[in-house]
Amino acid sequence: MLSHSENLRISGDMETLGRIAATPDALDFTVENVEKALHQLYYDPNIENKNLAQKWLMQAQVSPQAWQFCWALLSPDKVPEIQYFGASALHTKISRYWSDIPTDQYESLKTQLFSQIACFSSGSKMVLTRLCVALASLALNTMPEAWPGAVAEMVRVFQEEGGGVDGRARCLALLELLTVLPEEFQTSRLPQYRKGQVRGALGREWGSVCPLLQQLLRRTDSPGAVKARVLRCLSSWVLLDVPLNESEGLVQDCFSALPDPELFDTAVEAIVNAISQPDSQRYVNTLLKLVPQVLALQEQLREAVQNGDMETCHGICRIAVTLGENHSRTLLEQVDHWQSFLALVNMIMFCTGIPGHYPVNETTSSLTLTFWYTLQDEIMSFESDKQAVYLQVYRPVYFQLVDVLLHKAQFPSDQEYASWSSDEKEQFRIYRVDISDTLMYVYEMLGAELLSNLYDKLGRLLTNTEQPTSWQHTEALLYGFQSIAETIDVNYSDVIPGLIGLIPRININNVQLADTVMFTIGALAEWLADHPVMLSSVLPLVLQALGNPDLSVSSVSTLKKICRECKYDLPPYATNIVAVSQEVLIKQIHKTSQCMWLMQALGFLLSALPVEEILRNLHSLITPYIQQLEKLADETPNPSNKLAIIHILGLLSNLFTTLDISKQDDESADGSAPPVKTAPPPPGPNPVVVVLQQVFALIQTVLSKWLNDSQVVEAVCAIFEKSVKTLLHDFAPMVSQLSEMLGQMYSTIPQASALDLTRQMVHIFASETDHFPPIKALFELVTSVTLSIFQQGPRDHPDIVDSFMQLQAQALKRKPDLFLSESLDVKAVFHCGVLSLKFPEAPTVKSTCLFFTELLPRCSDVPPVARVVQEDGKLLIQAVLEGIGGGASRCLMDQFAEVLFSLNKHCFSLLAVWLKEALQPPGYPSSRVTTEQKDNFSHQILRERVNKRRVKDIVKEFTLLCRGLHGTEYAAEY
């Protein structure tokens, strides 16, 4: 099996490979053919030929013939690419097909691998590594029973003289083997019980590895390449949770290696890996010895900063942060050593405030930010007495941290910033967001004193007439305020009035500063709602900024926040706000998304005005767009006027999203859920309804020309859908005409957006007697049209099917009487649902499962539903079982489980019969499950009529069995 000889050779050239790949035969996998395929893979310019060769080689690698050709490919007269494939094939056979190897072959295979590694120790590095990985895999499969003391034997074999290989090459080969052994363990496919055994065996072998590594690292005559390999080997072994006290000497040797530029990176990696192992916190004495060694690196760190050596700064910072982040609590608890830990904290502070601008001059400071979170969490987790002592020491440190972070958040000079690439600017933006998050977190420890501190600094900065102030400094302090005010309730703070008073004093001569001023005002919108007298100080700044396209995002989002939070205090400013907004909209200063936000802002603003003022403002605001829409409606459809139509419809839609004259709980006014009305609206028609009625005919005209364009139809539906969501029952006057229009639209060209709007109408109006007739007519019409789509073939319309199923579920939930109508073909709807369960699109299947979970409980009170379930329920159970058996994505199993649970709850006796009949055919729903497993699944399902969670677990287990994944690593992740 493992001989060097080739069994057969076949003639052929490059062109025959296609035939070989297409019909792989055991006789084809010969040395000659493998070499041809490798030549084709590496040198053929045709990508199809390369792919063909790659596929064939993968088949060759796992074939039984691989044992013959892999040794031949390692012949010294072959080129490295061919030798590499031979070594890779060996590793594949050993790691993935270990059970195929007879036990009596283990020893000869091991001997051959040792021999090949010795041969390649002076040859190709990539081939040597693959051979080492192959031997490592063999060791992992045989230790500890078949190959006890594997590592000790590896060390002994390579330390013996002989084979004509010089000592340095043997040493490097041994180190490579010892390095890949733990790495191969980490990625091996060993069963879980074996992993535990092998990990224990490797842990015991550390006694053979450690002295060797120490000896090689401490010898003055060891070449740099050997020391670098030793450090890599240590890095690899400590990931096996080698006890820190057992590797302590080696870790100290790593610190000694740091001054050597050639060893620096690998030494850093080894130290970081050693001290970040979860188990290392048990070894307190070792950790305490490491602190002075880390502190001793400060001189090297300062020199690196002065010399602009970013790599060295980065490495030393990683060591300090790793020690601090992983062992904060352990080191905090060593109260006798509090000064050395404080010195480590200050060293990390130096790294946080390292000179230069991130990411252009330095990339180190970002590494430290999570340390400050960790340290704060540990301090705040102590009981109050202990915490008070630590806070006495560390509060001043955190105040210093705030200063450092705000300094690091400062923009560079305008000239320097202009020279940065767009990627550097984006990295700096993300870095500032990280600083913002850190400041917000630090506030939890420092509290109101932090805001006072920032306010005092800003006040001194803006009132100091003697010393010129850089805009960067002012911007950074404001950014600090904004970071905290965005997420923390600052309503109680006594410094905010002063801050609002300072803002108009800022000399805004820069876009970045202006942006931050805007965002800071926006962050204080809730405070302004409680202190409306201060609105007059900041509103003029916001309205002025609206006219600057560079401040588009910040000014519009700030105005929107103010209009949302302060709308009942804005009537005195409304005329001005509307006028400025109209002006910027007409001038087209802002991009589409900001225009939409601005309309939402105006919706909030107008909501608080008397109805007659709302109508007057709406007239002035909307008339230019209505006129433009009338003009566009007369034009022949083309791409440019399509965009203009969608834009205008979007503006109206966003305006109506927020324009609500009833008092309500604003928490739900963002459109995610219907707002909760807390007071009746004023008498008379709603202003939104008045406008919609005025433009209804125009919208119908637009639709008549654009009915086949889904984006325009979607934009039209969005206007009504958002209006319905906001107005709820106030939308009532339009129900009849909108129902009629929707029916006409959907009958002509069915689109998902029309179904979604119908669903919204059913949700709100189906239960109202006055509106039931038009809603019922609309529901029956769209159902009938959709059923005809199913007859023609629904596969091209998964979005329509998805929306249709959601509509049917909503109807069953809100008004099951709709299913009592003789005009509704309940049987056909049921069959459409069964068909939809087999769609490949997960959202469609989810919506269909929702439909069935709403339908099945209605068996008791809706006779047509009971009839169809009794007659055709078996089709449903078959479709569900097919999905569980492997026909559907595993992410849908919870939804299928819900359908089964509902069937069990509402149709128990029928389900028992259906399950028995459906699971009877052999190989159904999967050839991988036995009759016993199917019976067990059936019994388990029928037993669970209360615990839905348990049914979901049963379905997940069964689907893994059906897919052949039970007990695999995939199952563990599921």
Side-chain angles (χ1 to χ4, degrees), residues 30 61 77 93 187 201 237 257 270 405 482 523 557 591 609 661 692 716 732 846 913:
T30 63
Q61 209 170 27
D77 60 339
K93 296 299 284 184
T187 58
W237 276 83
L405 290 175
Q482 177 207 324
S557 68
K591 290 181 180 173
L609 300 180
I661 58 174
L692 285 174
V716 167
K846 281 185 181 179
V913 175

PDB file of all heavy atoms in Angstrom, residues 30 61 77 93 187 201 237 257 270 405 482 523 557 591 609 661 692 716 732 846 913:
ATOM      1  N   THR A  30      -2.093   8.233 -11.970  1.00  0.00           N
ATOM      2  CA  THR A  30      -0.699   7.789 -11.991  1.00  0.00           C
ATOM      3  C   THR A  30       0.215   8.990 -11.819  1.00  0.00           C
ATOM      4  O   THR A  30      -0.216  10.145 -11.948  1.00  0.00           O
ATOM      5  CB  THR A  30      -0.377   7.131 -13.336  1.00  0.00           C
ATOM      6  OG1 THR A  30      -0.537   8.125 -14.354  1.00  0.00           O
ATOM      7  CG2 THR A  30      -1.286   5.943 -13.611  1.00  0.00           C
ATOM      8  N   GLN A  61      -5.964  13.300  -5.004  1.00  0.00           N
ATOM      9  CA  GLN A  61      -5.398  13.397  -3.653  1.00  0.00           C
ATOM     10  C   GLN A  61      -6.103  12.479  -2.656  1.00  0.00           C
ATOM     11  O   GLN A  61      -5.492  11.989  -1.714  1.00  0.00           O
ATOM     12  CB  GLN A  61      -5.502  14.852  -3.186  1.00  0.00           C
ATOM     13  CG  GLN A  61      -4.425  15.244  -2.214  1.00  0.00           C
ATOM     14  CD  GLN A  61      -4.414  16.744  -1.976  1.00  0.00           C
ATOM     15  OE1 GLN A  61      -5.428  17.416  -2.105  1.00  0.00           O
ATOM     16  NE2 GLN A  61      -3.265  17.278  -1.650  1.00  0.00           N
ATOM     17  N   ASP A  77      14.539  14.385  -7.833  1.00  0.00           N
ATOM     18  CA  ASP A  77      14.669  14.955  -9.182  1.00  0.00           C
ATOM     19  C   ASP A  77      13.417  15.723  -9.630  1.00  0.00           C
ATOM     20  O   ASP A  77      13.371  16.258 -10.733  1.00  0.00           O
ATOM     21  CB  ASP A  77      14.984  13.837 -10.199  1.00  0.00           C
ATOM     22  CG  ASP A  77      13.880  12.790 -10.236  1.00  0.00           C
ATOM     23  OD1 ASP A  77      13.122  12.705  -9.251  1.00  0.00           O
ATOM     24  OD2 ASP A  77      13.779  12.058 -11.239  1.00  0.00           O
ATOM     25  N   LYS A  93      -4.204  12.131   3.231  1.00  0.00           N
ATOM     26  CA  LYS A  93      -4.515  10.724   3.501  1.00  0.00           C
ATOM     27  C   LYS A  93      -4.440  10.421   5.004  1.00  0.00           C
ATOM     28  O   LYS A  93      -5.291   9.732   5.550  1.00  0.00           O
ATOM     29  CB  LYS A  93      -3.551   9.800   2.743  1.00  0.00           C
ATOM     30  CG  LYS A  93      -3.645   9.894   1.227  1.00  0.00           C
ATOM     31  CD  LYS A  93      -5.008   9.520   0.682  1.00  0.00           C
ATOM     32  CE  LYS A  93      -5.262   8.040   0.681  1.00  0.00           C
ATOM     33  NZ  LYS A  93      -6.582   7.713   0.059  1.00  0.00           N
ATOM     34  N   THR A 187      -6.344  22.512  14.511  1.00  0.00           N
ATOM     35  CA  THR A 187      -7.214  22.427  13.324  1.00  0.00           C
ATOM     36  C   THR A 187      -7.635  20.992  12.994  1.00  0.00           C
ATOM     37  O   THR A 187      -8.311  20.769  11.998  1.00  0.00           O
ATOM     38  CB  THR A 187      -6.486  23.013  12.086  1.00  0.00           C
ATOM     39  OG1 THR A 187      -5.261  22.289  11.880  1.00  0.00           O
ATOM     40  CG2 THR A 187      -6.161  24.483  12.298  1.00  0.00           C
ATOM     41  N   ALA A 201      -1.909  14.450  26.493  1.00  0.00           N
ATOM     42  CA  ALA A 201      -0.624  13.850  26.104  1.00  0.00           C
ATOM     43  C   ALA A 201       0.372  14.926  25.671  1.00  0.00           C
ATOM     44  O   ALA A 201       1.556  14.890  26.044  1.00  0.00           O
ATOM     45  CB  ALA A 201      -0.847  12.850  24.964  1.00  0.00           C
ATOM     46  N   TRP A 237       3.134  26.415  21.194  1.00  0.00           N
ATOM     47  CA  TRP A 237       2.881  25.529  22.337  1.00  0.00           C
ATOM     48  C   TRP A 237       2.067  26.196  23.440  1.00  0.00           C
ATOM     49  O   TRP A 237       1.251  25.537  24.084  1.00  0.00           O
ATOM     50  CB  TRP A 237       4.201  24.982  22.902  1.00  0.00           C
ATOM     51  CG  TRP A 237       4.654  23.766  22.128  1.00  0.00           C
ATOM     52  CD1 TRP A 237       5.340  23.772  20.957  1.00  0.00           C
ATOM     53  CD2 TRP A 237       4.385  22.404  22.441  1.00  0.00           C
ATOM     54  NE1 TRP A 237       5.529  22.484  20.510  1.00  0.00           N
ATOM     55  CE2 TRP A 237       4.963  21.617  21.409  1.00  0.00           C
ATOM     56  CE3 TRP A 237       3.742  21.760  23.484  1.00  0.00           C
ATOM     57  CZ2 TRP A 237       4.889  20.235  21.404  1.00  0.00           C
ATOM     58  CZ3 TRP A 237       3.674  20.374  23.478  1.00  0.00           C
ATOM     59  CH2 TRP A 237       4.236  19.619  22.441  1.00  0.00           C
ATOM     60  N   ALA A 257      14.966  38.917  24.164  1.00  0.00           N
ATOM     61  CA  ALA A 257      15.120  38.921  22.696  1.00  0.00           C
ATOM     62  C   ALA A 257      14.553  40.180  22.044  1.00  0.00           C
ATOM     63  O   ALA A 257      14.833  40.463  20.880  1.00  0.00           O
ATOM     64  CB  ALA A 257      14.430  37.682  22.106  1.00  0.00           C
ATOM     65  N   ALA A 270       5.098  35.665  20.944  1.00  0.00           N
ATOM     66  CA  ALA A 270       5.228  34.614  21.955  1.00  0.00           C
ATOM     67  C   ALA A 270       4.795  35.128  23.333  1.00  0.00           C
ATOM     68  O   ALA A 270       4.063  34.442  24.062  1.00  0.00           O
ATOM     69  CB  ALA A 270       6.672  34.118  22.012  1.00  0.00           C
ATOM     70  N   LEU A 405      -7.691  61.383  25.375  1.00  0.00           N
ATOM     71  CA  LEU A 405      -8.568  60.957  24.273  1.00  0.00           C
ATOM     72  C   LEU A 405      -9.041  62.138  23.441  1.00  0.00           C
ATOM     73  O   LEU A 405      -9.091  62.067  22.208  1.00  0.00           O
ATOM     74  CB  LEU A 405      -9.778  60.194  24.825  1.00  0.00           C
ATOM     75  CG  LEU A 405      -9.497  58.801  25.404  1.00  0.00           C
ATOM     76  CD1 LEU A 405     -10.761  58.211  26.021  1.00  0.00           C
ATOM     77  CD2 LEU A 405      -8.949  57.844  24.346  1.00  0.00           C
ATOM     78  N   GLN A 482     -20.765  66.001  22.947  1.00  0.00           N
ATOM     79  CA  GLN A 482     -21.690  65.306  22.041  1.00  0.00           C
ATOM     80  C   GLN A 482     -21.697  63.794  22.323  1.00  0.00           C
ATOM     81  O   GLN A 482     -22.747  63.167  22.380  1.00  0.00           O
ATOM     82  CB  GLN A 482     -21.263  65.570  20.598  1.00  0.00           C
ATOM     83  CG  GLN A 482     -22.102  64.855  19.554  1.00  0.00           C
ATOM     84  CD  GLN A 482     -21.313  64.594  18.279  1.00  0.00           C
ATOM     85  OE1 GLN A 482     -20.485  65.408  17.878  1.00  0.00           O
ATOM     86  NE2 GLN A 482     -21.554  63.468  17.641  1.00  0.00           N
ATOM     87  N   ALA A 523     -27.703  66.438  19.798  1.00  0.00           N
ATOM     88  CA  ALA A 523     -27.622  65.554  20.972  1.00  0.00           C
ATOM     89  C   ALA A 523     -28.344  66.154  22.174  1.00  0.00           C
ATOM     90  O   ALA A 523     -28.747  65.427  23.092  1.00  0.00           O
ATOM     91  CB  ALA A 523     -26.160  65.276  21.310  1.00  0.00           C
ATOM     92  N   SER A 557     -30.191  66.431  10.141  1.00  0.00           N
ATOM     93  CA  SER A 557     -30.513  65.480  11.224  1.00  0.00           C
ATOM     94  C   SER A 557     -30.756  66.227  12.535  1.00  0.00           C
ATOM     95  O   SER A 557     -31.618  65.833  13.329  1.00  0.00           O
ATOM     96  CB  SER A 557     -29.403  64.441  11.393  1.00  0.00           C
ATOM     97  OG  SER A 557     -28.223  65.035  11.880  1.00  0.00           O
ATOM     98  N   LYS A 591     -28.859  66.079  -0.832  1.00  0.00           N
ATOM     99  CA  LYS A 591     -29.073  64.818  -1.545  1.00  0.00           C
ATOM    100  C   LYS A 591     -30.443  64.261  -1.171  1.00  0.00           C
ATOM    101  O   LYS A 591     -31.068  64.700  -0.205  1.00  0.00           O
ATOM    102  CB  LYS A 591     -27.973  63.822  -1.165  1.00  0.00           C
ATOM    103  CG  LYS A 591     -26.609  64.208  -1.716  1.00  0.00           C
ATOM    104  CD  LYS A 591     -25.563  63.179  -1.343  1.00  0.00           C
ATOM    105  CE  LYS A 591     -24.194  63.580  -1.898  1.00  0.00           C
ATOM    106  NZ  LYS A 591     -23.121  62.698  -1.419  1.00  0.00           N
ATOM    107  N   LEU A 609     -49.094  72.581  14.996  1.00  0.00           N
ATOM    108  CA  LEU A 609     -49.773  73.842  14.633  1.00  0.00           C
ATOM    109  C   LEU A 609     -51.282  73.638  14.564  1.00  0.00           C
ATOM    110  O   LEU A 609     -51.756  72.505  14.376  1.00  0.00           O
ATOM    111  CB  LEU A 609     -49.257  74.335  13.269  1.00  0.00           C
ATOM    112  CG  LEU A 609     -47.760  74.624  13.151  1.00  0.00           C
ATOM    113  CD1 LEU A 609     -47.454  75.108  11.735  1.00  0.00           C
ATOM    114  CD2 LEU A 609     -47.295  75.652  14.175  1.00  0.00           C
ATOM    115  N   ILE A 661     -51.608  65.096  13.830  1.00  0.00           N
ATOM    116  CA  ILE A 661     -52.126  66.179  14.671  1.00  0.00           C
ATOM    117  C   ILE A 661     -52.685  65.682  15.999  1.00  0.00           C
ATOM    118  O   ILE A 661     -53.047  66.474  16.849  1.00  0.00           O
ATOM    119  CB  ILE A 661     -53.221  66.983  13.930  1.00  0.00           C
ATOM    120  CG1 ILE A 661     -54.378  66.065  13.502  1.00  0.00           C
ATOM    121  CG2 ILE A 661     -52.635  67.706  12.732  1.00  0.00           C
ATOM    122  CD1 ILE A 661     -55.554  66.811  12.898  1.00  0.00           C
ATOM    123  N   LEU A 692     -54.314  64.423   0.487  1.00  0.00           N
ATOM    124  CA  LEU A 692     -54.375  63.193  -0.310  1.00  0.00           C
ATOM    125  C   LEU A 692     -55.589  63.186  -1.231  1.00  0.00           C
ATOM    126  O   LEU A 692     -55.508  62.754  -2.381  1.00  0.00           O
ATOM    127  CB  LEU A 692     -54.403  61.961   0.610  1.00  0.00           C
ATOM    128  CG  LEU A 692     -53.071  61.583   1.269  1.00  0.00           C
ATOM    129  CD1 LEU A 692     -53.264  60.443   2.250  1.00  0.00           C
ATOM    130  CD2 LEU A 692     -52.027  61.188   0.223  1.00  0.00           C
ATOM    131  N   VAL A 716     -45.806  55.090  -4.818  1.00  0.00           N
ATOM    132  CA  VAL A 716     -47.207  55.488  -4.621  1.00  0.00           C
ATOM    133  C   VAL A 716     -47.778  54.785  -3.385  1.00  0.00           C
ATOM    134  O   VAL A 716     -48.394  55.414  -2.517  1.00  0.00           O
ATOM    135  CB  VAL A 716     -48.061  55.160  -5.873  1.00  0.00           C
ATOM    136  CG1 VAL A 716     -49.550  55.282  -5.562  1.00  0.00           C
ATOM    137  CG2 VAL A 716     -47.686  56.070  -7.030  1.00  0.00           C
ATOM    138  N   ALA A 732     -59.803  57.038   7.681  1.00  0.00           N
ATOM    139  CA  ALA A 732     -61.074  56.419   7.265  1.00  0.00           C
ATOM    140  C   ALA A 732     -61.721  57.022   6.015  1.00  0.00           C
ATOM    141  O   ALA A 732     -62.201  56.273   5.154  1.00  0.00           O
ATOM    142  CB  ALA A 732     -62.048  56.449   8.438  1.00  0.00           C
ATOM    143  N   LYS A 846     -40.931  31.611   5.488  1.00  0.00           N
ATOM    144  CA  LYS A 846     -41.277  32.110   6.836  1.00  0.00           C
ATOM    145  C   LYS A 846     -42.684  32.697   6.857  1.00  0.00           C
ATOM    146  O   LYS A 846     -43.466  32.437   7.765  1.00  0.00           O
ATOM    147  CB  LYS A 846     -40.266  33.171   7.278  1.00  0.00           C
ATOM    148  CG  LYS A 846     -38.950  32.601   7.777  1.00  0.00           C
ATOM    149  CD  LYS A 846     -38.027  33.682   8.313  1.00  0.00           C
ATOM    150  CE  LYS A 846     -36.707  33.069   8.785  1.00  0.00           C
ATOM    151  NZ  LYS A 846     -35.767  34.075   9.288  1.00  0.00           N
ATOM    152  N   VAL A 913     -52.501  10.397  12.355  1.00  0.00           N
ATOM    153  CA  VAL A 913     -52.707   9.560  11.154  1.00  0.00           C
ATOM    154  C   VAL A 913     -51.796  10.028  10.021  1.00  0.00           C
ATOM    155  O   VAL A 913     -51.124   9.218   9.361  1.00  0.00           O
ATOM    156  CB  VAL A 913     -54.195   9.631  10.707  1.00  0.00           C
ATOM    157  CG1 VAL A 913     -54.401   8.878   9.396  1.00  0.00           C
ATOM    158  CG2 VAL A 913     -55.098   9.084  11.797  1.00  0.00           C
TER     159      VAL A 913
END
